[in-house]
């Protein structure tokens, strides 16, 4: 058995999450590191990627290093009534990352559920998102939004597409002041403007938000979304993670591809969301598929930001020193003993420069 002391945060997370997803009936899914460039270009808006790493294969065909996992998984999905494709993955994607916008390998682990889905699958995915973060850290939050409710209230406020586009940007930024100014510019009635501002300012645990949300949901689409959230809460409230789920309507994904439940996950100590997911029925519709889909991915690179339990990055538990005259049988036995106890050990004849270690065992004859 591998000692957890010898694993980095992301390595521990991968092993733990694989076991979690397998326990819930999700099967491992492997895929190529690259696809035809044309496949990604057809769905470039969904990727939200401004740069894709490309190369020509030996046949002269333009290929792309995979910038997204979801597209690769659903590419060949076939809808069969009553059947769900439930897979998990541990893969790398290649996309522009950070302020430099350079192409970087990003390690992800996550799951996808595609096919004849219902609220059970949505609730299970949400709970697995929560349990996934609970496996990584004690202090975490899953923020949930509902694009069906959001879209309904925006359309009731103003049907102008430009208003919707600008309002969504302000909602993402939680900028209530500019939403008010936007409503004034488009001559939105005061009552409708206040309703929108009240809606986007909602934030808190689900049971705290439901009474206020019920007053704001009046259209058929909004009421349907409200009932979905109520049902999900009935499932979530009986789990250890009920207080880790909050409603936050600033979580906004592209409404051309996503619908209804979308969510993000945050861990204390990491400045940005580590988990992102949601329903993407509209993406499947654009790909002429009858299936529904939901999933999430966890960006393991972000675990580098955690300040503790980072695992070995040049720092060892023990350094054993010996010389040519020493009995190497004793050296080997001592090294094996420490390693069997879960320690990291380096055996050297002299102390290497820049090597970090906690303890030293000097077995050289000349020092005895």
């Amino acid at each position: 058995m591998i000692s957890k002391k010898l694993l980095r945060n992301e390595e521990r997370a991968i092993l733990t999450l694989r076991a979690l997803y397998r326990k819930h009936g999700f099967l491992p899914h492997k895929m190529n590191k690259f696809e035809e460039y044309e496949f990604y270009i057809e769905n470039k808006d969904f990727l939200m990627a401004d740069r894709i790493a490309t190369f020509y294969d030996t046949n002269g065909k333009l290929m792309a290093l995979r910038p997204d996992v979801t597209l690769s998984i659903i590419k060949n999905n076939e809808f069969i009534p009553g059947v769900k494709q439930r897979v998990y993955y541990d893969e790398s994607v290649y996309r522009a990352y950070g302020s430099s916008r350079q192409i970087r390998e990003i390690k992800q682990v996550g799951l996808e559920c595609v096919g004849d889905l219902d609220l059970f699958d949505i609730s299970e995915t949400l709970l697995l998102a929560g349990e996934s973060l609970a496996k990584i850290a004690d202090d975490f939050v899953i923020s949930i939004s509902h694009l069906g409710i959001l879209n309904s209230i925006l359309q009731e406020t103003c049907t102008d597409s430009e208003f919707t586009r600008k309002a969504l940007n302000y909602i993402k930024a939680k900028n209530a002041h500019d939403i008010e100014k936007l409503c004034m510019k488009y001559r939105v009635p005061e009552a409708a403007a206040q309703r929108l501002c009240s809606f986007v300012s909602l934030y808190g645990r689900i049971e705290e938000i439901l009474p206020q949300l019920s007053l704001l949901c009046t259209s058929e689409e909004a009421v349907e979304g409200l009932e979905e959230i109520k049902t999900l809460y009935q499932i979530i409230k009986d789990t250890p993670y009920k207080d880790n789920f909050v409603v936050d309507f600033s979580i906004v994904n592209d409404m051309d591809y996503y619908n209804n439940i979308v969510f993000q996950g945050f861990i204390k100590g990491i400045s940005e969301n580590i988990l992102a997911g949601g329903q993407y029925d509209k993406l499947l519709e654009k790909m002429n598929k009858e299936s529904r889909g939901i999933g999430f991915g966890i960006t393991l690179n972000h675990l580098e930001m955690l300040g503790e339990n980072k695992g070995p990055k040049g720092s060892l538990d023990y350094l054993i020193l010996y010389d040519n005259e020493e009995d190497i049988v004793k050296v080997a036995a001592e090294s094996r003993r420490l390693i069997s106890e879960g320690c990291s050990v380096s055996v050297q004849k002299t102390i290497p420069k820049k090597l970090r270690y906690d303890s030293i065992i000097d077995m050289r004859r000349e020092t005895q």
Side-chain angles (χ1 to χ4, degrees):
M1 179 181 292
I2 299 175
S3 169
K4 290 186 176 181
K5 289 179 62 178
L6 303 180
L7 301 177
R8 297 192 304 270
N9 279 332
E10 65 178 57
E11 293 169 330
R12 285 198 296 271
I14 289 171
L15 292 175
T16 302
L17 296 178
R18 281 179 184 169
L20 172 65
Y21 304 151
R22 189 63 180 257
K23 185 172 68 174
H24 284 263
F26 288 79
L27 301 178
H29 183 88
K30 299 299 292 182
M31 60 199 82
N32 292 328
K33 290 185 180 295
F34 47 84
E35 299 267 7
E36 292 185 21
Y37 178 66
E38 183 179 357
F39 170 64
Y40 291 121
I41 285 299
E42 290 172 355
N43 300 283
K44 194 170 188 296
D45 291 339
F46 172 75
L47 297 173
M48 294 184 292
D50 53 0
R51 299 177 63 191
I52 298 176
T54 60
F55 64 95
Y56 287 98
D57 68 8
T58 55
N59 296 320
K61 183 174 293 184
L62 186 60
M63 308 295 288
L65 285 175
R66 183 182 58 235
D68 178 81
V69 171
T70 301
L71 284 171
S72 297
I73 289 176
I74 68 177
K75 179 181 179 182
N76 299 312
N77 175 262
E78 178 184 359
F79 179 77
I80 302 173
V83 175
K84 308 160 188 180
Q85 179 186 9
R86 295 157 57 89
V87 300
Y88 72 87
Y89 60 86
D90 161 24
E91 298 285 348
S92 292
V93 295
Y94 304 85
R95 62 172 71 134
Y97 185 86
S99 57
S100 68
R101 307 309 296 161
Q102 292 184 329
I103 298 294
R104 180 178 172 185
E105 180 181 8
I106 301 171
K107 192 72 175 174
Q108 289 188 335
V109 63
L111 58 82
E112 305 290 344
C113 187
V114 188
D116 194 353
L117 274 54
D118 55 29
L119 271 178
F120 167 80
D121 305 291
I122 295 166
S123 65
E124 184 180 45
T125 301
L126 276 173
L127 287 173
L128 281 171
E131 192 168 352
S132 295
L133 294 193
K135 298 287 187 184
I136 297 172
D138 294 328
D139 198 343
F140 70 92
V141 170
I142 301 287
S143 296
I144 305 172
S145 180
H146 196 292
L147 298 185
I149 298 176
L150 175 58
N151 180 66
S152 174
I153 291 181
L154 282 173
Q155 290 304 305
E156 290 180 70
T157 304
C158 180
T159 57
D160 189 297
S161 61
E162 189 65 14
F163 172 88
T164 299
R165 185 186 67 79
K166 292 179 179 179
L168 285 172
N169 287 331
Y170 294 144
I171 290 169
K172 288 178 185 178
K174 299 185 179 180
N175 189 341
H177 176 70
D178 280 340
I179 290 175
E180 290 181 4
K181 290 171 61 177
L182 183 67
C183 288
M184 292 177 61
K185 178 180 178 180
Y186 282 83
R187 299 181 180 179
V188 173
E190 184 177 353
Q194 288 183 353
R195 177 171 175 248
L196 176 61
C197 290
S198 297
F199 172 73
V200 299
S201 65
L202 290 177
Y203 179 87
R205 292 200 295 268
I206 302 175
E207 71 273 20
E208 298 171 347
I209 296 302
L210 280 176
Q212 304 168 63
L213 189 58
S214 297
L215 296 175
L216 297 171
C217 293
T218 56
S219 70
E220 182 178 348
E221 182 182 9
V223 170
E224 287 180 0
L226 175 63
E227 291 304 314
E228 286 189 359
I229 292 179
K230 287 181 177 179
T231 301
L232 293 173
Y233 176 64
Q234 289 303 308
I235 298 172
I236 290 172
K237 72 181 181 66
D238 293 325
T239 72
Y241 316 113
K242 69 171 185 176
D243 292 334
N244 298 95
F245 285 87
V246 299
V247 173
D248 182 357
F249 287 102
S250 71
I251 307 296
V252 179
N253 291 8
D254 191 329
M255 291 193 191
D256 288 333
Y257 295 92
Y258 290 92
N259 63 295
N260 296 347
I261 296 293
V262 293
F263 52 95
Q264 292 182 357
F266 302 84
I267 283 178
K268 185 177 181 179
I270 297 179
S271 58
E272 52 192 300
N273 67 291
I274 185 175
L275 179 150
Q279 293 179 247
Y280 46 83
D281 299 354
K282 291 185 177 180
L283 169 64
L284 289 156
E285 184 179 335
K286 284 178 177 288
M287 298 176 71
N288 298 315
K289 296 180 182 291
E290 297 181 61
S291 298
R292 301 177 66 196
I294 187 170
F296 64 81
I298 299 173
T299 302
L300 297 175
N301 300 58
H302 292 336
L303 297 184
E304 299 170 0
M305 301 180 190
L306 291 178
E308 57 184 21
N309 297 324
K310 287 189 175 182
K313 287 192 175 180
S315 180
L316 301 168
D317 293 318
Y318 287 95
L319 169 65
I320 296 178
L321 293 177
Y322 76 105
D323 57 30
N324 289 328
E325 298 178 5
E326 183 56 70
D327 184 354
I328 61 171
V329 174
K330 293 180 180 180
V331 174
E334 181 67 4
S335 174
R336 289 199 307 273
R337 180 185 70 80
L338 293 171
I339 291 172
S340 69
E341 294 175 357
C343 301
S344 53
V345 181
S346 178
V347 179
Q348 303 280 351
K349 292 183 178 179
T350 188
I351 301 176
K353 292 181 179 179
K354 299 182 180 181
L355 180 69
R356 291 183 295 165
Y357 52 90
D358 295 331
S359 301
I360 187 169
I361 298 176
D362 197 335
M363 300 180 70
R364 293 174 296 184
R365 287 179 181 273
E366 62 189 43
T367 62
Q368 297 177 3

